[in-house]
C-alpha cells in the first residue's frame, strides 16, 4: 500500500523487518524446543547461543536472495552468518540446528499467521473505537427529528440518532466477524514436508505455537489451508463494505439539495481549484474508493484456496500483496471514518425543514390507516390518499406553491367527511410516528464494544 494510505503501526507489521524478526523468533523457538526435547542433538547451551547471536539485516538477505532465488534460504543463510561469526575455525557451527527438520512453509505460514493476528488486533481496536463513537452520537441525536428516505424518496419521520445507531450495530457485527476470523487465522504449522512430521517431533510445533499465541493446525499439508486466509479477507471486505455504506450516507447527506450533515471542513481547507465555494465530501469519497480495493482483494484470497495437491506457491505472491494492502487500507479507512463521524457537522434545523419539503406527503400512511379505521375498505382509502398525494407531487415537481397535503385532504369531500380536524392534527404530528422509538434506543443502550 502506498504511504499516503498507510498508518505507522499497521505499516510496521507488513514491513520486511517485522516479517524477518518473526521468522528469527520462530527459528530460535524451534531450536529451544529441540533442545528441550533432547532428540536432535542440539544442547541447551547451543540453543541459548543461537538466541543470543541470531540476527539479520534486510539488505543482506536481499543480496543473498539474488543468488539463491529463495527467500527462506537467503534468510537462514544470513542468520547463520551472525550465529557462527564468533565460532572458532574448525569448531562445530551452532547454526546447523537452525531450520532443523523444517520446511519453508513451516516458517513462512506460521509467521504469516502471527502477522495476521497482529493486524487483526489493530482492526478490532479500530472497530471498537468507531462503534463506541456511533453509539455515543446516536444518543446525542436520539430526539433530533428528520425524514427517513427509501429509494431516495421521503418516507416517514425518524430521528437522526437512529442512523448512528444502525451504524453502531453494523460495526458490532463487524467486530464479531473479525474476532472469529482472527481465531481461525491464529494457527501455526511446523510439520515438515507434506505435513507428516517425518523429520520433526510434533512437540516442537506445540512449543513454538504456544509461545506465539497460536494453535497448531490439526492437519497441515505442508501449508496452512488458505480458506483460513480467505475468511480473514472476507471479514475485511465486509467490514470495508460497512464503512463504505456509512460513508455513502454522509455523501448523500452532504448534497447541496439535502445538506443535513457534512464531514468536517478544516481551517485552510480548499474545496475546489476552480470553484472556491465548494465543500466536497472528499474523505467519504476516499473511503468508498478504497473499499473497492479491499473488496476486490477478497476475490484473490478466494482463488488462493485451491492449490495443487498438498501445496504449490501460486498463492504466495498474490497474498503478499492483498493481505498487506487490505489490512493497511482498512486501517486507514477506519482512521478517516473516526475523524469524520466524531466530528460530523449536523444541521437539525435543515433536517426539520427537509421533513416538510414535500408538504406533508410523508403522512400518507397515517391518513390511509385513519380512513380504514373510519370504516371504508383499504382499496377505497388508497384511492383517496393517492389522488390527493399526486396533486401535491405535481405542484412540487413544477415548483408551484400550491396547497399542502393536509389542505388537499380538507378540500376533498370524501376525506373531509371521514377525518375530523382533531384527527388530522394527530395524523400530521411527526412525533406520532415515533411513540415507540425508545425501543431501539433501549436495545442500543445494551450494546457493548
Amino acid at each position: 500500500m502506498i504511504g499516503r494510505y498507510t498508518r505507522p503501526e499497521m505499516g510496521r507489521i507488513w514491513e520486511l523487518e517485522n516479517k524477518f524478526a518473526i521468522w528469527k523468533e520462530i527459528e530460535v523457538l524451534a531450536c529451544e524446543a529441540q533442545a528441550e526435547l533432547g532428540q536432535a542433538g542440539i544442547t541447551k547451551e547451543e540453543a541459548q547461543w543461537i538466541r543470543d547471536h541470531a540476527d539479520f539485516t534486510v539488505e543482506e538477505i536481499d543480496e543473498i536472495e539474488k543468488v539463491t532465488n529463495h527467500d527462506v534460504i537467503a534468510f537462514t543463510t544470513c542468520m547463520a552468518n551472525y550465529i557462527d561469526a564468533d565460532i572458532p575455525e574448525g569448531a562445530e557451527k551452532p547454526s546447523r540446528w537452525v531450520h532443523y527438520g523444517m520446511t519453508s512453509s513451516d516458517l513462512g505460514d506460521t509467521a504469516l499467521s502471527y502477522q495476521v493476528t497482529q493486524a487483526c488486533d489493530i482492526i478490532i481496536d479500530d472497530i471498537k473505537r468507531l462503534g463506541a463513537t456511533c453509539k455515543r452520537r446516536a444518543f446525542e441525536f436520539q430526539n433530533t427529528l428528520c425524514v427517513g428516505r427509501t429509494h431516495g424518496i421521503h418516507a416517514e419521520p425518524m430521528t437522526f440518532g437512529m442512523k448512528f445507531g444502525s451504524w453502531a450495530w453494523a460495526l458490532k457485527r463487524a467486530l464479531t466477524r473479525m474476532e472469529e476470523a482472527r481465531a481461525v487465522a491464529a494457527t501455526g504449522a511446523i510439520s515438515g514436508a507434506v505435513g507428516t512430521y517425518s523429520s520433526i517431533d510434533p512437540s516442537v510445533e506445540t512449543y513454538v505455537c504456544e509461545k506465539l499465541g497460536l494453535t497448531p493446525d490439526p492437519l497441515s499439508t505442508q501449508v496452512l489451508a488458505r480458506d483460513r486466509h480467505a475468511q480473514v479477507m472476507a471479514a475485511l471486505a465486509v467490514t470495508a463494505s460497512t464503512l463504505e455504506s456509512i460513508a455513502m450516507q454522509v455523501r448523500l447527506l452532504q448534497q447541496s439539495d439535502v445538506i443535513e450533515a457534512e464531514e468536517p471542513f478544516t481551517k485552510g481547507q480548499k474545496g475546489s481549484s476552480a470553484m472556491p465555494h465548494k465543500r466536497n465530501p472528499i474523505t467519504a469519497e476516499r473511503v468508498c474508493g478504497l473499499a473497492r480495493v479491499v473488496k476486490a482483494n477478497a476475490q484473490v484470497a478466494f482463488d488462493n484456496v485451491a492449490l495443487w495437491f498438498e501445496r504449490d506457491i501460486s498463492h504466495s505472491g498474490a497474498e503478499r500483496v492483498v493481505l498487506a494492502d487490505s489490512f493497511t487500507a482498512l486501517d486507514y479507512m477506519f482512521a478517516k471514518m473516526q475523524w469524520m463521524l466524531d466530528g460530523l457537522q449536523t444541521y437539525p434545523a435543515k433536517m426539520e425543514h427537509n421533513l416538510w419539503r414535500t408538504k406533508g406527503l410523508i403522512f400518507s400512511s397515517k391518513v390511509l390507516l385513519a380512513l380504514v379505521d373510519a370504516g371504508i375498505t383499504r382499496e377505497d382509502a388508497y384511492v383517496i390518499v393517492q389522488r390527493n398525494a399526486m396533486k401535491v407531487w405535481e405542484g412540487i415537481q413544477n415548483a408551484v406553491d400550491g396547497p399542502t397535503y393536509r389542505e388537499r385532504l380538507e378540500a376533498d369531500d370524501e376525506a373531509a367527511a371521514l377525518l375530523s380536524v382533531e384527527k388530522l392534527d394527530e395524523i400530521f404530528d411527526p412525533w406520532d410516528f415515533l411513540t415507540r422509538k425508545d425501543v431501539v434506543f433501549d436495545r442500543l443502550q445494551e450494546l457493548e464494544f
Side-chain angles (χ1 to χ4, degrees):
M1 179 54 63
I2 63 175
R4 181 182 179 90
Y5 304 131
T6 302
R7 300 175 74 202
E9 186 179 4
M10 182 64 80
R12 281 191 290 270
I13 289 173
W14 301 105
E15 288 175 354
L16 288 174
E17 188 74 31
N18 184 57
K19 183 180 82 168
F20 291 141
I22 299 169
W23 281 17
K24 184 184 81 169
E25 182 63 15
I26 290 171
E27 293 287 4
V28 171
L29 287 172
C31 289
E32 291 173 346
Q34 294 279 22
E36 289 285 341
L37 187 63
Q39 294 180 357
I42 180 175
T43 66
K44 292 182 180 180
E45 290 73 23
E46 286 175 308
Q48 186 62 52
W49 179 276
I50 290 170
R51 176 166 287 285
D52 292 340
H53 293 82
D55 208 348
F56 65 88
T57 71
V58 174
E59 293 74 21
E60 289 174 297
I61 294 170
D62 286 345
E63 286 301 311
I64 297 170
E65 189 179 357
K66 289 177 183 178
V67 177
T68 64
N69 198 27
H70 194 294
D71 58 349
V72 173
I73 293 175
F75 168 78
T76 56
T77 301
C78 178
M79 198 166 81
N81 291 338
Y82 281 92
I83 293 169
D84 297 338
D86 295 330
I87 299 299
E89 187 70 29
E92 291 184 337
K93 307 295 186 182
S95 68
R96 71 190 188 279
W97 301 115
V98 172
H99 210 66
Y100 186 88
M102 294 170 59
T103 189
S104 297
S105 294
D106 290 338
L107 179 61
D109 276 12
T110 303
L112 181 59
S113 292
Y114 189 74
Q115 284 179 286
V116 169
T117 60
Q118 287 181 311
C120 281
D121 287 341
I122 292 177
I123 298 298
I124 286 169
D125 285 343
D126 288 340
I127 295 171
K128 290 179 178 178
R129 189 177 304 109
L130 187 61
T133 296
C134 287
K135 177 181 175 180
R136 171 176 56 80
R137 299 219 73 183
F139 285 98
E140 183 181 340
F141 296 101
Q142 181 175 359
N143 296 306
T144 301
L145 197 64
C146 69
V147 69
R149 298 172 176 89
T150 59
H151 307 274
I153 309 299
H154 284 203
E156 292 185 356
M158 60 181 290
T159 74
F160 198 77
M162 293 175 67
K163 294 182 183 291
F164 275 107
S166 69
W167 301 339
W169 281 113
L171 289 164
K172 180 65 173 181
R173 294 189 294 275
L175 178 61
T176 299
R177 280 189 292 267
M178 283 307 307
E179 289 175 337
E180 291 174 349
R182 187 199 186 283
V184 168
T187 305
I190 300 180
S191 55
V194 303
T196 62
Y197 301 98
S198 59
S199 300
I200 195 163
D201 192 283
S203 64
V204 175
E205 177 184 68
T206 300
Y207 180 91
V208 173
C209 286
E210 182 179 328
K211 294 294 184 181
L212 295 175
L214 304 177
T215 300
D217 190 299
L219 199 164
S220 58
T221 61
Q222 191 179 116
V223 293
L224 295 171
R226 257 46 195 178
D227 64 277
R228 297 179 183 276
H229 306 75
Q231 183 170 343
V232 171
M233 291 290 286
L236 295 177
V238 177
T239 303
S241 296
T242 295
L243 297 189
E244 178 185 22
S245 175
I246 299 171
M248 182 74 76
Q249 298 304 313
V250 174
R251 292 170 62 189
L252 291 169
L253 290 165
Q254 190 163 335
Q255 292 179 100
S256 299
D257 296 331
V258 179
I259 198 61
E260 294 181 359
E262 63 177 342
E263 65 181 53
F265 194 83
T266 57
K267 183 178 180 180
Q269 183 175 340
K270 303 294 188 289
S272 166
S273 62
M275 297 167 284
H277 73 279
K278 297 291 291 296
R279 291 164 66 104
N280 301 328
I282 58 170
T283 304
E285 290 170 338
R286 193 181 310 157
V287 168
C288 289
L290 287 173
R292 298 167 189 167
V293 174
V294 181
K295 291 186 295 182
N297 285 351
Q299 183 61 54
V300 176
F302 300 150
D303 292 340
N304 281 348
V305 174
L307 303 178
W308 283 19
F309 297 109
E310 280 58 60
R311 75 160 299 197
D312 65 54
I313 62 166
S314 61
H315 62 88
S316 180
E319 72 188 10
R320 291 181 196 220
V321 175
V322 298
L323 274 168
D325 277 8
S326 293
F327 272 110
T328 303
L330 187 59
D331 178 49
Y332 174 85
M333 290 163 64
F334 266 107
K336 290 302 175 184
M337 291 302 295
Q338 179 64 36
W339 171 82
M340 185 192 310
L341 296 185
D342 191 40
L344 189 71
Q345 305 298 297
T346 57
Y347 307 110
K350 187 61 188 293
M351 294 177 198
E352 186 161 3
H353 170 79
N354 285 343
L355 186 145
W356 294 101
R357 283 181 65 185
T358 52
K359 298 185 176 183
L361 288 178
I362 60 174
F363 301 97
S364 67
S365 60
K366 290 287 189 182
V367 178
L368 178 66
L369 294 180
L371 289 172
V372 171
D373 289 341
I376 65 175
T377 67
R378 182 180 179 85
E379 290 72 21
D380 289 341
Y382 201 98
V383 170
I384 295 171
V385 172
Q386 189 180 46
R387 74 183 176 217
N388 287 285
M390 292 305 103
K391 291 176 182 177
V392 176
W393 268 124
E394 184 178 351
I396 293 170
Q397 291 160 344
N398 292 286
V400 175
D401 189 19
T404 65
Y405 188 46
R406 175 170 179 166
E407 289 168 344
R408 289 281 186 188
L409 291 170
E410 289 173 332
D412 184 297
D413 291 340
E414 284 188 272
L418 295 166
L419 301 174
S420 65
V421 172
E422 293 74 21
K423 188 62 179 178
L424 288 171
D425 287 341
E426 178 186 324
I427 290 170
F428 284 86
D429 176 8
W431 288 106
D432 190 59
F433 283 91
L434 300 169
T435 56
R436 300 189 182 97
K437 71 173 178 62
D438 287 342
V439 171
V440 298
F441 287 98
D442 289 345
R443 294 169 183 163
L444 186 63
Q445 189 68 61
E446 301 302 314
L447 180 61
E448 295 183 358
F449 286 96

